[in-house]
Amino acid sequence: MLRLTLKNLAANRLRFALTTFAVILAVSFVVSSFVLTDGLRSSFNTLSGEIVGGTDFEVRPVDDLGRSEPLSPALLDQVADVEGVAVAAPVVEADNTIRPINADGQEISTAGPPQLAFAWIDDARLSSFTMVEGEPPRQPGEFTMDLDAAANHGFSVGQTYDLITPGGRTQATLTGLVSFGADNDTLGATLMQFDLPVLQELVGIDGYDSIQVAVDDGADRNAVESELVVLATGAEIVDNATLESEQRADFNSGIDVIGNILLGFAGISLFVSIFIIYNTFSIVLGQRTRELGLLRTVGADPVQLRRSVLAEAAVIGSAASAIGIGAGVGVAFGLRALFDAIGAQLPDSPVIISGRTIIVAAVVGIGATMVSAIGPARRASRVSPIAALRDGAAAGAASGRTRLLVGVGLLAAGAVAGGLGLFVASTTASVVALLAVGAIGMFTGLAMASPVVAVPLTTMLGWPGRRLFGVSGRLAQDNAGRNPQRTATTAAALMIGLAMVAMALVVGESVKAELRSTLESSVQADYLIDENGDSYFTPAVAADLDDLAETGPVASFRYDEARVGGELTGITGTNLVAAEHLFDFGISSGLAVEPTISDPVLISDEVAASESIRVGDIVSMTFGGGVERDLTVIGVYEDDVIVEEGYLLDLATWVEVGAEPADAWIGFSLADGVTPSQAAAALAPIAEAYPMVTVATASEFVDSLEGMVDQALATINVMVALAVIIALIGIANTLALSVFERTRELGLLRAVGMSRRQLRTMIRLEAALVALLGAVLGVSVGILFGWAAVVALPASITSTLAVPTTRILILVTVAGIAGLVAAWGPARRAGRLDVLDAIAN
């Protein structure tokens, strides 16, 4: 039986290759996820050791309410005087807050690796940087840069460049190039260095982020650490091992997110592949019914037949796993190119194929193939020998009623699991697990139940083909409906991929509809200002806007954290008087502004309900640095889109308690009678002086946010495209096997007058019908999933269901065209059949 199994595979190379290819695609995506994340993790772990360098201890402030108060210069002097301390160096770092512009006027993108600025440290033990050209920065107007970033972005030593800083535009001369460690392994980041006082002024920090300490050789480290603990009251002391461990954890948390996303898409591809493999084995074993019956008559028992089929599946899975490992490395490079194309550049990293990756590839490839072959193998082994030897005999299948009942049961179970994941589960792991189980149950149930609707849907979808192509169109529809179970299973593979695309489109359109609705109902401001990167910006922008004669009310918004009743919560600050004229917060009770009340606060209706707070009540808050303040509730608002947090404070209180001093965004209106051209002229100097911000009308601002949503959707759909490609390969595979199965029938059609062109058209239209069936089912399920996601999402993200009808119709049309393309090979093969040979088959 084993020799027979291997001979069957060798005699059907095309079938073997097509089945193997579907598994290879799924395995390669899984492998690429591990190769990419393992390589990144290795690089970042190496970098973690280089970052901490020769630092024996670090003195750093205790994180207080999400913000750390800078360490004082006096503490630096005290640390340096501790016995056993060789050198103590102050550290100031800035992440994406200082961005250089090269000679061509191009700013380095903030979407990829970060742009980091450091205070220059002279001591080689504590500094990770080594000068390779020029001089260190010693005074204002000077900076250095790592040599790779300078070469990649066109910066030259001795040239003066504009810098975008939190305080606006400034200029500095590049005085030298540095290497980060021995090999300048920056992983794509741009590293800049400034003199300590210069960087403090640029980022607006009065003190130090931390103090790095190097201990004398032979000194008692425990004694030094104990002295530092006593000395640095209110700060914490961490050693080198802890620093490196924390750095690795920070890097790995981001890498894990990328890896989990990629594995999620790999799981979708694998799920699609299982349908294809199942369908392929069902067709192949159906074609070999007489052969299996003959084996039964010469002594093979059902167990041997099942083992033979499963052995064939094991060989296919083993070959696919081996090839998929190599292909996965190529896919990893492709994914890296995809991230680069969308502006999220990933750093260079080694190719690592770990033992874990090989084991997972084998489990995925062999396991998926074996699981897919179990059902067809059992059905084939149940056919009686005498029945199998008759012409037209076929491997048995579950009855239509049984299949329908099981499918409906799986649909119901999937819906319950999905509902629990969306509305009941609380932890991320439980939500993801329940949603995954729910999706698998619903997709599998729909695939099992869909034969009930396959015939009526293909009849409806085949109407244009019947009208335009006559006999070819009618026969294509009959062929698609002849075996509804096969048609439904083939379409189910495409349904899964298109359902994911449709769901993403619905969620994206709903988010954009919420943005547009918010603009129309809540925003009366003429302009909105936002930071180009991911940082806050100087309050001077709002001050300069307020000084313009062409502007009316100006309201800047800031975000921070405070403690209310012992719980840490987010807070928002703005000028309440100005904001009342610019935004409609949906005040449900109280007044938006009450000038006679000091320290006013507005609360959201959710906070009011959960904390049983009413207008006039006092809310006690503790801010950074331990500042406490009693605030009076003057109103309750319903709109949680404009105000992201549950408490809205007046800016005067905000400044007094020392909350976050920088602005996140600004809204303002024009003064009465100011024309758009006058406004543009007045705002031009603001845009020139503060290039870190974008000045846009409210509608332009929403357009930019919609563009970001569309970009995210495009990225998701590119990832899901692999599953769609696998599904189209499944259609081609099914048709190729179907052509072989119907060789005699096709020969008879040619004999009674059907032309080669009509025959090819029939095959292609059949593929288009299968693809359209999958598309209709997919977009229907996708819209349902999209609705569920919209209901589950917070109201601040979206509360409106919007279906992008045009895009959905385009998606269905493209699926039909893709089905025609998938049928190109099988149709050509059918058209080339010799009539007499086909009849004699």
Side-chain angles (χ1 to χ4, degrees):
M1 293 300 293
L2 178 60
R3 288 196 299 269
L4 181 61
T5 298
L6 297 177
K7 287 182 178 180
N8 274 330
L9 288 172
N12 298 275
R13 296 184 184 89
L14 178 61
R15 185 185 74 210
F16 173 73
L18 289 174
T19 308
T20 304
F21 186 59
V23 188
I24 289 172
L25 287 176
V27 172
S28 63
F29 210 161
V30 174
V31 170
S32 69
S33 304
F34 288 116
V35 168
L36 190 62
T37 54
D38 286 349
L40 290 174
R41 188 170 286 110
S42 173
S43 296
F44 279 114
N45 286 344
T46 300
L47 180 60
S48 298
E50 293 184 353
I51 288 176
V52 298
T55 303
D56 294 310
F57 297 103
E58 181 178 83
V59 182
R60 63 190 185 190
V62 177
D63 192 12
D64 184 19
L65 302 180
R67 290 192 301 123
S68 300
E69 294 296 324
L71 300 178
S72 67
L75 179 60
L76 173 64
D77 295 335
Q78 294 172 342
V79 169
D81 290 338
V82 170
E83 184 178 355
V85 171
V87 60
V91 174
V92 175
E93 300 180 10
D95 184 359
N96 283 337
T97 56
I98 298 178
R99 306 199 293 273
I101 301 175
N102 65 19
D104 297 329
Q106 298 297 317
E107 178 187 344
I108 302 174
S109 173
T110 58
Q115 299 172 52
L116 308 176
F118 301 87
W120 178 260
I121 298 176
D122 281 317
D123 192 278
R125 287 170 293 183
L126 297 178
S127 178
S128 300
F129 300 104
T130 304
M131 292 299 308
V132 296
E133 180 183 345
E135 298 293 333
R138 298 298 187 191
Q139 58 187 2
E142 294 182 351
F143 76 109
T144 55
M145 181 182 290
D146 76 271
L147 56 93
D148 288 335
N152 293 336
H153 300 292
F155 290 86
S156 301
V157 174
Q159 300 297 314
T160 299
Y161 300 97
D162 284 349
L163 301 179
I164 299 174
T165 73
R169 186 186 298 268
T170 187
Q171 288 189 329
T173 300
L174 184 65
T175 61
L177 302 179
V178 303
S179 174
F180 180 71
D183 302 319
N184 195 48
D185 191 8
T186 66
L187 302 179
T190 299
L191 308 182
M192 296 168 287
Q193 301 77 35
F194 296 83
D195 190 37
L196 174 63
V198 174
L199 185 58
Q200 288 176 308
E201 182 178 356
L202 289 177
V203 299
I205 179 174
D206 183 17
Y208 314 125
D209 293 326
S210 63
I211 299 173
Q212 293 182 348
V213 177
V215 177
D216 286 322
D217 294 336
D220 186 341
R221 293 175 179 268
N222 293 331
V224 171
E225 183 176 8
S226 299
E227 181 68 20
L228 291 175
V229 169
V230 173
L231 184 64
T233 305
E236 62 177 341
I237 314 299
V238 290
D239 59 15
N240 183 279
T242 303
L243 287 173
E244 185 171 347
S245 176
E246 290 176 346
Q247 191 68 64
R248 288 184 177 181
D250 288 342
F251 286 145
N252 289 335
S253 62
I255 295 171
D256 289 341
V257 171
I258 296 175
N260 291 336
I261 292 174
L262 294 179
L263 284 176
F265 287 111
I268 295 172
S269 302
L270 179 63
F271 191 44
V272 171
S273 297
I274 289 175
F275 280 92
I276 295 171
I277 302 166
Y278 170 86
N279 219 24
T280 300
F281 274 97
S282 297
I283 297 171
V284 169
L285 294 177
Q287 294 171 356
R288 294 165 52 191
T289 301
R290 294 189 68 187
E291 171 195 329
L292 297 176
L294 182 60
L295 289 173
R296 290 288 305 280
T297 61
V298 296
D301 60 34
V303 174
Q304 287 179 306
L305 293 181
R306 288 197 295 270
R307 287 176 179 173
S308 175
V309 175
L310 293 177
E312 186 174 336
V315 172
I316 291 173
S318 299
S321 299
I323 299 172
I325 291 173
V329 176
V331 174
F333 284 103
L335 291 173
R336 186 185 300 278
L338 172 62
F339 279 103
D340 291 347
I342 64 176
Q345 181 182 0
L346 294 179
D348 293 333
S349 57
V351 175
I352 297 177
I353 304 177
S354 65
R356 184 257 339 250
T357 302
I358 296 174
I359 293 173
V360 171
V363 170
V364 169
I366 300 174
T369 312
M370 296 281 284
V371 168
S372 304
I374 290 174
R378 293 184 62 187
R379 290 199 303 272
S381 65
R382 289 174 178 173
V383 181
S384 67
I386 302 302
L389 290 174
R390 294 199 306 265
D391 279 340
S399 68
R401 176 175 296 180
T402 302
R403 182 180 175 118
L404 177 61
L405 290 175
V406 173
V408 172
L410 287 173
L411 271 172
V416 170
L420 292 174
L422 289 173
F423 305 109
V424 178
S426 56
T427 65
T428 301
S430 61
V431 170
V432 172
L434 286 170
L435 289 180
V437 170
I440 292 173
M442 292 192 69
F443 281 131
T444 306
L446 187 59
M448 296 187 70
S450 57
V452 176
V453 298
V455 174
L457 276 179
T458 52
T459 300
M460 180 184 67
L461 296 171
W463 179 84
R466 297 195 304 270
R467 298 285 297 178
L468 294 175
F469 299 100
V471 174
S472 296
R474 187 163 57 252
L475 288 175
Q477 176 195 308
D478 292 341
N479 290 334
R482 177 190 302 178
N483 191 331
Q485 291 186 4
R486 178 191 300 178
T487 299
T489 304
T490 306
L494 185 61
M495 171 191 69
I496 296 168
L498 295 183
M500 296 293 101
V501 175
M503 181 182 70
L505 290 176
V506 169
V507 173
E509 191 66 24
S510 300
V511 170
K512 293 193 291 185
E514 185 70 30
L515 290 172
R516 290 189 293 267
S517 175
T518 300
L519 171 66
E520 295 172 358
S521 62
S522 302
V523 179
Q524 287 83 49
D526 296 323
Y527 287 86
L528 297 173
I529 292 181
D530 191 24
E531 213 275 336
N532 291 326
D534 57 359
S535 304
Y536 292 168
F537 53 89
T538 174
V541 179
D544 289 354
L545 284 170
D546 208 22
D547 290 338
L548 293 176
E550 290 83 0
T551 60
V554 177
S556 58
F557 286 78
R558 305 176 185 180
Y559 300 106
D560 206 338
E561 292 179 323
R563 292 194 184 277
V564 180
E567 296 293 331
L568 192 64
T569 184
I571 58 175
T572 304
T574 189
N575 184 329
L576 292 179
V577 175
E580 183 183 24
H581 299 285
L582 299 171
F583 304 98
D584 181 5
F585 300 129
I587 304 298
S588 60
S589 63
L591 299 174
V593 178
E594 177 54 65
T596 61
I597 298 178
S598 61
D599 298 328
V601 63
L602 292 168
I603 62 173
S604 68
D605 52 357
E606 293 183 0
V607 169
S610 63
E611 302 296 331
S612 300
I613 302 175
R614 297 179 297 177
V615 173
D617 288 350
I618 301 299
V619 175
S620 297
M621 285 191 182
T622 303
F623 302 90
V627 177
E628 297 183 0
R629 187 67 65 96
D630 291 334
L631 296 92
T632 303
V633 177
I634 63 170
V636 179
Y637 62 86
E638 298 176 347
D639 193 321
D640 56 356
V641 176
I642 300 298
V643 184
E644 299 178 8
E645 311 294 351
Y647 296 88
L648 180 60
L649 285 66
D650 189 65
L651 211 55
T653 303
W654 190 276
V655 173
E656 290 176 4
V657 299
E660 171 60 51
D663 292 334
W665 60 283
I666 299 172
F668 68 97
S669 290
L670 299 177
D672 294 338
V674 176
T675 65
S677 58
Q678 292 173 330
L683 295 175
I686 299 289
E688 175 66 22
Y690 305 104
M692 81 291 288
V693 301
T694 298
V695 182
T697 64
S699 59
E700 290 172 344
F701 183 75
V702 172
D703 288 343
S704 68
L705 294 180
E706 290 183 349
M708 295 171 62
V709 173
D710 287 335
Q711 186 180 45
L713 291 179
T715 304
I716 293 173
N717 290 338
V718 167
M719 304 288 246
V720 177
L722 179 62
V724 176
I725 292 172
I726 295 174
L728 293 174
I729 292 173
I731 293 176
N733 197 9
T734 300
L735 284 175
L737 294 171
S738 178
V739 167
F740 177 79
E741 181 183 48
R742 289 150 45 192
T743 298
R744 189 175 185 185
E745 172 192 324
L746 298 176
L748 289 172
L749 288 174
R750 292 278 287 115
V752 298
M754 176 172 274
S755 67
R756 295 180 186 274
R757 181 176 182 180
Q758 287 177 311
L759 192 63
R760 289 195 298 266
T761 300
M762 180 188 73
I763 299 296
R764 289 166 183 161
L765 289 177
E766 183 181 347
L769 283 175
V770 174
L772 287 173
L773 175 63
V776 170
L777 293 175
V779 298
S780 301
V781 174
I783 292 173
L784 177 64
F785 283 7
W787 168 79
V790 168
V791 171
L793 285 172
S796 59
I797 298 177
T798 182
S799 59
T800 305
L801 177 66
V803 179
T805 307
T806 302
R807 292 189 179 188
I808 293 293
L809 292 176
I810 292 174
L811 182 64
V812 173
T813 303
V814 170
I817 296 173
L820 293 174
V821 174
W824 182 83
R828 281 179 59 87
R829 184 182 184 280
R832 289 176 176 177
L833 289 175
D834 181 88
V835 177
L836 295 180
D837 289 342
I839 294 175
N841 185 267

